[in-house]
Each structure stands twice: as C-alpha cells, then as structure tokens.
Amino acid sequence: MGTGERNQEAHVSEGSGPTPPRTLAEALRGRDDVSLAALLRARPDLLSPVPNDVSQLATRAATRASVVRALEHLDRFTLQTAEALAVAPDPAPYEALRALMTGDDGDPAVEAALPAAVAALRDQALLWGADDRLRLVRTARELLAPSPTHPSPTGLGPTVAEATAGMSPGRWQETLAAAGLPPTHDPVSAVTALAALFSDRTRMSALLDTAPPEALMVLERLVWGPPYGEVTPDPAPPVRWLRDRGLLLPTSLRTVVLPREAALHLRAGRAHRVPEPVPPVVAPAHEYRPQVVDGTAAGQAYTALSTVEELLKDWNEGGPAVLRSGGLSVRDLKRTAAALDVPEHTAAFWVELAYAAGLLASDGEAAERYAATPAYDEWLDLPPQDQWTRLATAWLHATRTAGLVGGQDAKGRVLAALGPDLDRSAAPEVRHRVLALLAGLPQGAAPAPEQVLTRLRWERPLRGAAAPGSAAASASGTSGTPGDLRSRIALWTLTEAELLGVTGRGALSSHGRALLAAGPAHPRASGAEEAAAAASAAALLAPLIPEPLDHVLLQADLTAVAPGPLRRPLADTLDVLADVESKGGATVYRFTPASVRRALDAGRAASDLHTFLAEHSRTPVPQPLSYLIDDVARKHGHLRVGAASAYVRCDDDAMLGEILADKRSQGLGLRRLAPTVLAAQADPAALLEGLRGMGFAPAAESAAGDVLITRAHAYRTPPRTAPVPVPEGPPTPDETLLGAALRAIRAGDMASTAVRKEAPAAAPSPGELPRTTAAETLATVQAAALTGSAVWIGYVNADGAASQRVIAPVRVEGGFVTAYDHTADEVRTYPLHRITGVAELADSA
C-alpha cells in the first residue's frame, strides 16, 4: 500500500493517557478491539496459536521470525522510517525522528508522509510509545541498527560511545586536546563532550574548516557508507589528522570508522541520502483504443484455449513418462514445444497452466506417466469463455512458477516442468499486484515494464531477494531478467498475461479487469466473489470470441482451409481425415493417403467421407480429392491381417506373390500357407506397419474374420484435484476467527491481571496457577454461584494444558461447575477435579 493510501491522521500518541506505556504489552493492552484486529489481520502469524493474553501476544510480536516477516511487508518509506529510528536514541522524540528524515533543510513531502509511516509502524506493533518517547521493538532495532558485521541500510556507523568503548584514558586525552576540548579523566564526560562537538553544527563546521582538503575527500568517501575504512600502521597525514580528532575512530589495528554523529553533520542531519516518501508513478507508455486491446486479448485467449486443447489431445492416449525425481524430462519438453510450435519456456507455461487448472496430472501407475484428467472432458464441454475463466483463475492463484523451468535449485539441479520444486508462495500476490497496477491506468494504456518493477520494489523492498539458500535464489531467467525473485515473477506475469489473453498489447483488457473485481489488491477472496468476477469476465469475453464455423474451403491441391475456429464435431472429424499443415488466423489441412486410410480405419466408409466433405465445404469437392478417397478405399481391406502370430490373406494370390518377392518383406518372416494366405513371424501391428510401408493398404481383422475398426481411444488418469497453492505463511484470519481470538485474548488478559483478594496462604506468582484444596474450591465456586460474582481459576484440560480463566459460576452440582467463561465468551462446564485452585476477584467481573 502506498503512503498516499494510508490513514493520514496525525501521529496520535499510543497510550497518551495519564500513564504512558512502559512496555509493548502495556501499549497493546491500551488498544481498542478494532486496532488489535487490524494488527492480527496484518500479522496472522501472531494467531498461531491464539495467544493466552496480551502479554503473550506482545512476546510473540517481538520474536525475530515474526518481526522479519512484518518488516518484509513494509514499503520503502515506512522501512526508511524504521531504519532512522534504529539509529536514533532510544527512546526518540518525534522531532528527532523528523530531523533524521528531513535533514537541516527540511522536506515538505517527507514531513507530510512521516505521520502515516509512524502510524503504520505502530499498527504493525513494530513501534510503541507516545510521541515524546518513540520506541522501536528491540528485535527490529537489532535487525536494522548498524554493526561491523551487519551494515545499516542508512550507511551510518556506530555512535561515538559505541566506537570508543574500551579506549584508553591517554588516547582520550589526546583526542580531546586535538579537537580543542577541555581534558577530562571521566570517559563518560569525554564521550559526551566529543559527541556534543560533532552534533553542534557551528563548532563542527569550524573544526572542518581547519581540515586539509585531502581529509575532507576521505570523509566524502565514507559519509554515505560504508563508514568503515582500512588504514596502515603509519597512515597518511590526512587520515592521521582525522584520527587524532576523533573524526575517524579505530575499531581494530587496521580499521577505522566514521562515527554516526560526525556523519550526520556531513549529511546535514539526514539519515538517508534519498528519502522516498511517494511511491513511483506507473504511467502509460503506450495508449491504444480499448476495442483494439480487447480484440487482441480475446484473440489470444482463444489461441490459449486451442493450445491447451492441442497439448492434451497430443497426450490423449497417455503422455510422457514421469521422471523418477518428478516432472517432465528435458527431451519430452522439447518434443512438446515442437508439437505446439512454441519455444520451450512457453511450452512449460502451457503445461504448468493445464496442471494448475486440474486438466493434467500423473496417472499414479507403476510406469507413471502424464495424461489428461476426467476434468479435462468436463472442461471441453464448457463454452469457450468459461474455459478461459477457469484457466485464468487457476493461473492467478497458482503458486507454481513456470518461469523457473530450466533454472537450477540451490543444489545445482535443473528445475523440470511439472517438477516438485516450482512453488513460490509470493507468485499469486505479485501477479495480483502487477495486474492491479495495470488496472489503475486508463483503459487501453500499457506501462513500461521497468516502471512496474520500480513500483513493486518500492512497495516491498525487503521482499525482492529470495530467501538465502532457496531454489529461487539461483534459478535462472531469461537474459536481462533482474536477479531478485519478485521482479522476475513480475516480468513473467506480464508475459504470461499476454499469452493467456488477460492483457492485449500490454494493456489490461476489459475481461481482465472484471476478473480482478474480487479484490485486485489481495489475492485472497471468497468463493462467491471469485465466482461473480469469473462470470462477469466470461460475459465480457463471450462476444469477442469468434463464433465457431461449420464449413471449410476445399482446394484443388488436396488442402482444406478453415477460415476460423471450427465447431467441435467438424474439427474432430477433420483431425482424423487430414493432417494440420499450418496454423494462424486460418488453419490449413492436407489430405494424404495415410490420413484418408486413418479415417477408413476408424470405421468411415468412402461414401461417408464424400458426403461429409460435400456437406461442410463452401467450395465444390475437387476431383483429385475424390479420386484420392476412392483409390485408398479401393485398396483398403483388400489384404487382411490377423493373429497367427499374424497372417495375411487375400483373394488375389498374385498380390501375395508380389509381397513375397519384395525384399522389404524379408524382415516380416512371411511364408505361404495357402494360395490366399501368408503366415508371418511378426505381430499383427508390426505386420500392418510393414505392409503399409511397402505401399499396400491392409486392414486388420478379428478372429471371426471381421474388419477391425481402430478408433483413437482416450486415456485418462483417475480423478485428480488441482494442485493446492502453497500458502505464504498463515492465512489471513476471517472475521469469525478474529472475533473469537480477541475475546480469548481479552479474557485471558483479564484473568492474568485481575486483582485478587488476599488469601491466608501465599499468593501465587504471576503466571502461576492458583492452588486451593478441593473443599476450598467447592465452597468458593458455590458462593460465587449464589452471589453471581466472577472468580479466577486455574484449569488443566484433558490434554494436560494449563490455563488461567475468569468465570462466573451459574450452577455447581455432580462434581461439575457450569459457568460463563469470559475466555470463550460462552457457557461451559468444568469438572471440579480439574480446577487446580480458585481465587475471588477484588472487584466482581
């Protein structure tokens, strides 16, 4: 979210009541339910599991893993604000933070955006305290503060106090004298004096006016970081001048550092060289008429449907084998790319898209291979616009990232299409965000890709790089692709959206905008919202998809031209009767003896083929095509092949003699059994192929002597579900879970902080369960049930988990107490023997 989209309230002090909060827990305890719900929604990892009380919530919010995850979701300016707080005094007044962000000269844009950044850090529980005592969570300060092993993003080094820890008194006296400060034997006052000198603009300027020009050049090289430099045992005079006056402080025998106070003076008080309070603008680079964009996108959408159908039709009788490590082999991917007539990386995208949509899976057999799923047949029966929305929705939510195919994982292994290592949890969020940026432009406007990448880097500066050691860190992309994973996914998104028809000419189409209506800023939407968005997109796309045709144009060169998409029965029959020669705006089919024979093998008679062509051609059936069909049909079935292991029979013994005399038949092991029968050592399928290779047109027959009709059969996997996206951390809680969690936290907090009456025995320590005898427990809860008061109990459930609760007993009988439990916000029954102890509250709840 950009700075301009945040709540622009002034920096309201947290816990601005009479008693300022002393800890993060106290600050969170002072929040209302709306603010706590916003925190839990922004950081859902805090709910795994639901904290017992606010103190546990604060402890969990300050853990390293949770803070890192929260920092990764900050935009650049909010992160710069946190980085400035990490190098500011702790606690820091708001004015000190403003000075670090704006510098001595001021910056109206930064001043205007800073309150929202502070509010965002507070909302995320990374910052707490009133405006006069702003405190960054300790873990965040440790992550962002400078150290020799972990430079600060600001480029600042340690303070004078940190850099001079352990400095000898003699060295202090020399430094103070060289800097023109009065001597002192107290290291604390010496640090204070030197830091005050560096922070005083007037005195510091006067000191630097006496510096040699070469010394100032050294400072210029260190001022914006890194602040460390190497020196020799006998440094040059400019470096010695700086070191003598404390402007360079030694950190080791060969290393010096520019102290933070001095660097801030040289920077005119600014913590960052270039603060970025405003998100980079994504402006139109090209503009087209919306009709042009929609038409281009619709044409590509139909091409996408045809490509997926062609892919799965090619694997209709069973596709490539599954690698032992999972996925598709490089050879099979090349073969698929050649069949689809696309580059390999594009073929990987179509394969992964079909897999993500649940149309393709492995069959799970011993000799495992890929094939279409039963859902593919259901998908084929859908209207084209509904087919497209199913593919586009699956692409939007898929964590599988086809762009990684061909790269390498952390161990140097090649990442295979359909392999197990292609999930990247950031992919859905990046896709939605890229398309949302396109949706923010006027219709028909296309941005420059670099502007999109720049904006994404501003929104999530820490999310760009892949996790150390992850496969994404080393996976290669196309030439010129940025190294960070988030930027590469964004570029792949722009390419894939164009292939899929979500965009046209780089601009978001009307049906693409409708598809994002379920929530473009966030990939998680309810099922009803997604269904409504898909229906709206389908309604916009339907008029743009060309209507399937019921005719072709037959030509004298034994070809047929389909001027557009064909209706399914016509297309299926033509695929059997002819071979596709070329694709594009029009598809060209070529009739050959082999293709006609394929149709005859499928049970079609010559008369059926003549009738079919005459009915579906807008031009007369060419005579050469009629002759081709009749000639192949006349020869078809003249020879019969059966199982002997195999035999050939023919009424024309001269033809059998011709076969025996042909040298090409020697490999079939033929011998004459009768004037009209030849026996073969080859199996029937090999015999059929061998005779066809010799120019004959044999037909297979059954054991009863009937001609076998060989129809293409479809191989399907068992029912398979589409792959489930790999979530990025815990899911965002819904309102029901948030409400229950808030009640539990408030009730647990009430139980842990409630004031109890003094008991004769020693009261339990904080967090310790109360201990009372069974008789005391029974008497106390009975009294509470009679008076309607609330009590504090310790309870151990059947799993042995202990908890503290505040309950209002209603009834006590049969060894059980029925009470209203403030933790669960409902009436529950507790066995008395599981209550460890009970204490009355000083004030009835």
Side-chain angles (χ1 to χ4, degrees):
M1 181 181 295
T3 303
E5 301 171 31
R6 292 199 194 94
N7 179 10
Q8 292 296 325
E9 290 183 2
H11 37 283
V12 179
S13 298
E14 190 175 57
S16 55
T19 305
R22 295 168 299 175
T23 63
L24 176 61
E26 289 186 8
L28 294 179
R29 192 170 287 121
R31 292 190 180 190
D32 57 21
D33 286 352
V34 174
S35 177
L36 274 184
L39 169 62
L40 297 176
R41 194 178 292 110
R43 297 176 65 177
D45 58 293
L46 301 181
L47 283 177
S48 301
V50 175
N52 292 332
D53 52 32
V54 173
S55 296
Q56 191 176 93
L57 174 65
T59 301
R60 193 175 297 169
T63 59
R64 184 180 181 88
S66 183
V67 170
V68 168
R69 190 177 291 113
L71 291 174
E72 286 179 344
H73 285 79
L74 299 180
D75 63 49
R76 189 178 299 280
F77 184 69
T78 306
L79 183 61
Q80 286 181 330
T81 303
E83 292 165 354
L85 281 167
V87 296
D90 186 31
Y94 180 84
E95 288 305 315
L97 172 63
R98 182 190 61 77
L100 284 172
M101 294 299 294
T102 61
D104 297 343
D105 299 331
D107 189 329
V110 172
E111 291 188 17
L114 189 57
V118 172
L121 292 173
R122 273 208 183 101
D123 291 344
Q124 296 267 350
L126 297 171
L127 174 69
W128 59 278
D131 277 358
D132 59 342
R133 296 179 64 84
L134 295 176
R135 290 184 179 272
L136 200 62
V137 172
R138 179 178 299 176
T139 310
R141 175 176 285 273
E142 292 172 354
L143 289 168
L144 299 176
S147 70
T149 58
H150 179 74
S152 169
T154 62
L156 292 169
T159 62
V160 171
E162 294 167 346
T164 58
M167 182 182 288
S168 66
R171 181 75 180 89
W172 261 123
Q173 297 308 316
E174 294 174 2
T175 301
L176 293 177
L181 297 172
T184 175
H185 296 286
D186 179 12
V188 175
S189 59
V191 167
T192 302
L194 190 61
L197 169 63
F198 293 163
S199 301
D200 189 313
R201 295 289 186 264
T202 303
R203 290 195 294 156
M204 185 63 170
S205 298
L207 176 63
L208 293 177
D209 287 343
T210 64
E214 296 82 359
L216 296 178
M217 293 175 61
V218 172
L219 293 178
E220 287 178 3
R221 290 197 295 269
L222 300 177
V223 63
W224 291 108
Y228 294 90
E230 291 188 3
V231 294
T232 62
D234 183 21
V239 175
R240 188 183 303 113
W241 190 95
L242 295 171
R243 190 186 62 179
D244 291 344
R245 288 155 182 78
L247 291 169
L248 291 180
L249 294 171
T251 58
S252 68
L253 291 177
R254 300 181 61 85
T255 309
V256 292
V257 65
L258 176 66
R260 187 182 307 169
E261 294 86 347
L264 285 173
H265 171 83
L266 296 170
R267 296 179 177 196
R270 195 186 292 271
H272 296 88
R273 175 178 283 186
V274 182
E276 299 182 55
V278 180
V281 176
V282 179
H286 305 281
E287 294 191 30
Y288 308 96
R289 289 188 300 111
Q291 295 86 347
V292 172
V293 171
D294 290 346
T296 304
Q300 191 56 48
Y302 193 86
T303 301
L305 300 181
S306 302
T307 304
V308 172
E309 185 176 346
E310 184 179 355
L311 166 68
L312 295 175
K313 189 182 294 182
D314 187 49
W315 293 4
N316 202 37
E317 298 184 35
V322 180
L323 291 173
R324 184 169 57 182
S325 58
L328 201 63
S329 70
V330 174
R331 180 181 300 175
D332 287 327
L333 180 61
K334 289 182 178 179
R335 188 180 297 117
T336 301
L340 299 179
D341 195 22
V342 296
E344 289 178 36
H345 61 84
T346 304
F349 167 69
W350 293 121
V351 170
E352 284 290 342
L353 178 64
Y355 177 62
L359 309 180
L360 173 67
S362 60
D363 59 7
E365 300 294 334
E368 197 173 12
R369 56 179 177 163
Y370 291 106
T373 64
Y376 170 62
D377 299 309
E378 301 172 5
W379 180 79
L380 284 177
D381 293 334
L382 295 174
Q385 61 270 19
D386 293 333
Q387 291 179 339
W388 181 83
T389 56
R390 180 166 173 179
L391 293 180
T393 303
W395 170 71
L396 273 175
H397 296 288
T399 54
R400 295 190 61 81
T401 311
L404 295 172
V405 173
Q408 294 183 345
D409 63 11
K411 297 182 179 179
R413 296 172 299 194
V414 175
L415 296 171
L418 301 178
D421 301 320
L422 296 183
D423 283 289
R424 297 294 180 270
S425 56
E429 188 266 335
V430 174
R431 290 193 194 106
H432 278 77
R433 189 58 193 140
V434 168
L435 296 183
L437 291 175
L438 299 186
L441 299 175
Q443 288 193 351
E450 187 54 42
Q451 286 188 339
V452 175
L453 299 187
T454 302
R455 176 63 173 266
L456 290 178
R457 295 189 191 107
W458 184 91
E459 292 178 347
R460 294 289 186 271
L462 291 184
R463 294 300 304 277
S470 69
S474 57
S476 62
T478 57
S479 178
T481 302
D484 60 284
L485 178 64
R486 187 176 173 86
S487 295
R488 287 158 51 209
I489 293 177
L491 286 180
W492 294 331
T493 296
L494 293 173
T495 302
E496 293 166 1
E498 195 76 14
L499 286 173
L500 195 51
V502 177
T503 60
R505 301 195 179 188
L508 193 63
S509 62
S510 298
H511 47 276
R513 290 176 185 272
L515 199 65
L516 293 178
H522 203 284
R524 297 183 179 96
S526 67
E529 290 174 329
E530 288 184 0
S536 176
L540 290 171
L541 179 62
L544 302 175
I545 292 181
E547 190 70 25
L549 304 176
D550 61 352
H551 65 273
V552 295
L553 306 175
L554 295 177
Q555 302 185 109
D557 61 349
L558 298 180
T559 60
V561 177
L566 300 177
R567 292 183 179 176
R568 186 163 304 282
L570 172 58
D572 292 343
T573 303
L574 207 55
D575 283 339
V576 177
L577 181 56
D579 299 322
V580 176
E581 189 171 79
S582 65
K583 303 174 185 176
T587 304
V588 178
Y589 295 86
R590 178 164 294 280
F591 300 94
T592 65
S595 68
V596 173
R597 184 172 60 242
R598 186 170 63 232
L600 296 174
D601 286 343
R604 295 276 188 155
S607 57
D608 296 334
L609 299 180
H610 287 302
T611 303
F612 168 80
L613 294 174
E615 289 177 349
H616 293 94
S617 176
R618 289 290 178 88
T619 58
V621 179
Q623 194 175 52
L625 180 56
S626 299
Y627 286 167
L628 174 64
I629 294 173
D630 291 340
D631 186 48
V632 175
R634 185 166 49 251
K635 298 177 182 178
H636 186 264
H638 193 51
L639 294 177
R640 301 294 182 90
V641 173
S645 354
Y647 63 85
V648 182
R649 70 180 181 88
C650 179
D651 296 336
D652 187 353
D653 58 347
M655 180 175 288
L656 295 181
E658 180 184 346
I659 292 174
L660 284 172
D662 196 319
K663 292 183 179 180
R664 292 174 294 176
S665 68
Q666 291 179 359
L668 301 176
L670 295 173
R671 60 189 178 86
R672 190 185 292 270
L673 296 181
T676 58
V677 180
L678 297 179
Q681 296 177 358
D683 61 81
L687 184 55
L688 276 170
E689 290 302 319
L691 292 175
R692 285 171 178 169
M694 295 165 61
F696 297 97
E701 72 177 14
S702 66
D706 299 323
V707 175
L708 288 175
I709 296 174
T710 57
R711 300 180 184 275
H713 67 282
Y715 178 77
R716 295 290 181 265
T717 69
R720 293 281 192 267
T721 57
V724 179
V726 177
E728 185 182 14
T732 301
D734 57 23
E735 295 305 318
T736 303
L737 176 58
L738 277 177
L742 285 174
R743 289 193 299 270
I745 293 171
R746 294 294 192 194
D749 209 47
M750 179 181 177
S752 62
T753 60
V755 181
R756 305 167 185 92
K757 288 184 178 179
E758 293 295 332
S765 305
E768 202 177 295
L769 296 182
R771 299 289 178 181
T772 56
T773 64
E776 290 173 335
T777 298
L778 178 60
T780 305
V781 296
Q782 285 178 333
L786 290 174
T787 60
S789 58
V791 293
W792 174 70
I793 67 169
Y795 180 72
V796 179
N797 65 13
D799 297 326
S803 61
Q804 303 177 42
R805 299 170 180 270
V806 173
I807 65 172
V810 178
R811 184 173 61 256
V812 183
E813 62 182 12
F816 293 88
V817 55
T818 302
Y820 174 77
D821 189 334
H822 289 272
T823 303
D825 195 22
E826 63 183 9
V827 175
R828 289 185 173 180
T829 300
Y830 299 98
L832 282 170
H833 70 275
R834 292 193 177 278
I835 297 178
T836 64
V838 62
E840 298 180 23
L841 303 181
D843 297 317
S844 179

